[in-house]
Amino acid sequence: MRQVVIIGSGPAGYTAAIYAARANLEPLVIASSVAFGGELMKTTEVENFPGFPDGIMGPELMMKMQAQAERFGAEIVYDDVTKVELDGDVKRITMGDGTVHEALTVIYATGSEYRKLGLDDETRLSGYGVSWCATCDGAFFKQKKVAVIGGGDSALEEATFLTRFADVVYLVHRRDEMRASAAMQDRARADAKIEFLWNKEVAHIYGDDKVTGIGLVDTVDGSETTLDVTGVFVAIGSDPRTHLIHGQLDLTEAGTVAVEGRSSRTNIAGVFAAGDVVDPTYKQAVTAAGSGTVAALDAEHYLADLDPALLARATGSAVTA
């Protein structure tokens, strides 16, 4: 049995692992067989993570976090969780290969996934002009023309932020009105750098090695046009990865895991949540890392208050289902 099992290997999961390992809790990190390292594995240069004044590539940053966690004794497993049983003193985590890990605490740090347009070139040009985070990548588009796709508050926030760098920001929306708040719309309309393109859907993203433009289809008359841009920011929402814990952990109206105040404590004792899976607002690597710190400390404090006889059972073993 483990003292701590961490589900997820993004900035939150690996930071939780670093803190838990340094506290001699010997955490097991279940990193996924495919999506290990989180969303930063899909990015190129990261310029806003503290400690790297010259920037660092997203995958390199995650490899460094993993190495740091392993240095202190964290164990990494590349497999997918298929089932969690979180009630009771001992939690059970079932893996894709049939192994069942038992743990006294679980840190749920599965992150969230940005919604995509569903275009082939969207994935191919990710990090080469296609982005889901203006805060992360906006500075690369100084004096450029970019497009933001979406019509909610997040799309208008992205567009407004990008006007600090880009010469022109096209706001592309498939309808003739937005669902964003009135205040956000007023702010965007007052910005001379933002141009609204109504009743338009993105049908193509053009470019060989980097984005050179997008193809738009008019949702009213079906006409097609081409827009020359070097950046495409997709802002149509994101979904926290909560499928494993439905019916067990409470969720917020935004669909994220509900936690108590600024802690990581969920509605089930011994289960903690961290990172984008609890954060509908900021969704930054550094805030996720801070959240992972909170989860590890909360887990450590929880373990310290357990019955010594129960705690003594945590030996780091796994059993076969």
Side-chain angles (χ1 to χ4, degrees):
M1 188 195 309
R2 298 277 181 168
Q3 295 183 74
V4 181
V5 167
I6 299 167
I7 304 174
S9 57
Y14 278 145
T15 303
I18 291 167
Y19 272 75
R22 291 187 75 248
N24 296 322
L25 301 181
E26 299 180 335
L28 174 69
V29 179
I30 302 173
S32 171
S33 62
V34 177
F36 53 87
E39 292 298 313
L40 281 182
M41 295 296 288
K42 305 174 186 177
T43 66
T44 52
E45 192 169 7
V46 178
E47 290 192 322
N48 57 359
F49 198 89
F52 298 95
D54 297 322
I56 184 172
M57 301 298 283
E60 183 183 359
L61 176 59
M62 297 318 303
M63 294 297 288
K64 286 181 178 293
M65 285 190 179
Q66 177 182 335
Q68 190 172 359
E70 290 178 313
R71 173 194 168 199
F72 293 116
E75 180 183 349
I76 315 296
V77 172
Y78 297 100
D79 200 351
D80 298 303
V81 177
T82 60
K83 181 182 179 181
V84 294
E85 299 165 83
L86 302 176
D87 283 331
D89 291 333
V90 178
K91 324 300 179 184
R92 290 170 59 86
I93 302 98
T94 303
M95 312 294 291
D97 66 0
T99 300
V100 176
H101 292 283
E102 295 185 335
L104 297 179
T105 65
V106 170
I107 295 176
Y108 194 74
T110 52
S112 64
E113 186 172 14
Y114 291 113
R115 295 176 191 158
K116 296 184 176 181
L117 298 171
L119 304 174
D120 290 339
D121 291 326
E122 177 183 19
T123 299
R124 181 177 65 83
L125 291 170
S126 173
Y128 298 93
V130 176
S131 174
W132 289 264
C133 179
T135 306
C136 308
D137 300 326
F140 298 119
F141 295 91
K142 292 179 179 177
Q143 299 179 318
K144 305 292 185 180
K145 294 181 179 180
V146 301
V148 174
I149 318 302
D153 279 352
S154 60
L156 293 188
E157 287 175 0
E158 297 275 276
T160 301
F161 180 83
L162 286 166
T163 60
R164 302 180 187 184
F165 309 101
D167 284 344
V168 179
V169 179
Y170 298 104
L171 199 294
V172 181
H173 188 44
R174 60 184 177 179
R175 289 188 280 270
D176 60 0
E177 60 181 1
M178 297 187 177
R179 64 183 184 277
S181 65
M184 286 299 303
Q185 292 193 48
D186 289 343
R187 184 186 307 171
R189 292 178 194 277
D191 196 315
K193 285 189 174 182
I194 297 177
E195 295 186 19
F196 293 87
L197 301 180
W198 304 105
N199 300 314
K200 298 288 190 296
E201 285 189 335
V202 180
H204 305 283
I205 301 176
Y206 300 116
D208 294 327
D209 300 323
K210 59 183 179 180
V211 170
T212 59
I214 55 177
L216 301 176
V217 174
D218 192 290
T219 59
V220 176
D221 61 22
S223 61
E224 298 185 15
T225 55
T226 300
L227 189 66
D228 293 331
V229 294
T230 58
V232 179
F233 290 82
V234 182
I236 56 176
S238 62
D239 298 303
R241 295 187 178 97
T242 58
H243 60 286
L244 287 171
I245 49 80
H246 286 174
Q248 297 187 70
L249 297 184
D250 291 342
L251 303 179
T252 67
E253 291 183 0
T256 55
V257 176
V259 294
E260 298 177 16
R262 296 186 64 185
S263 80
S264 65
R265 295 187 296 271
T266 69
N267 59 294
I268 297 180
V271 180
F272 308 90
D276 284 3
V277 79
V278 303
D279 176 14
T281 305
Y282 301 104
K283 299 177 183 178
Q284 299 296 305
V286 68
T287 53
S291 180
T293 301
V294 170
L297 293 175
D298 284 344
E300 182 182 357
H301 295 155
Y302 173 85
L303 290 166
D305 291 334
L306 284 182
D307 184 328
L310 179 61
L311 189 58
R313 293 173 53 193
T315 60
S317 60
V319 298
T320 301

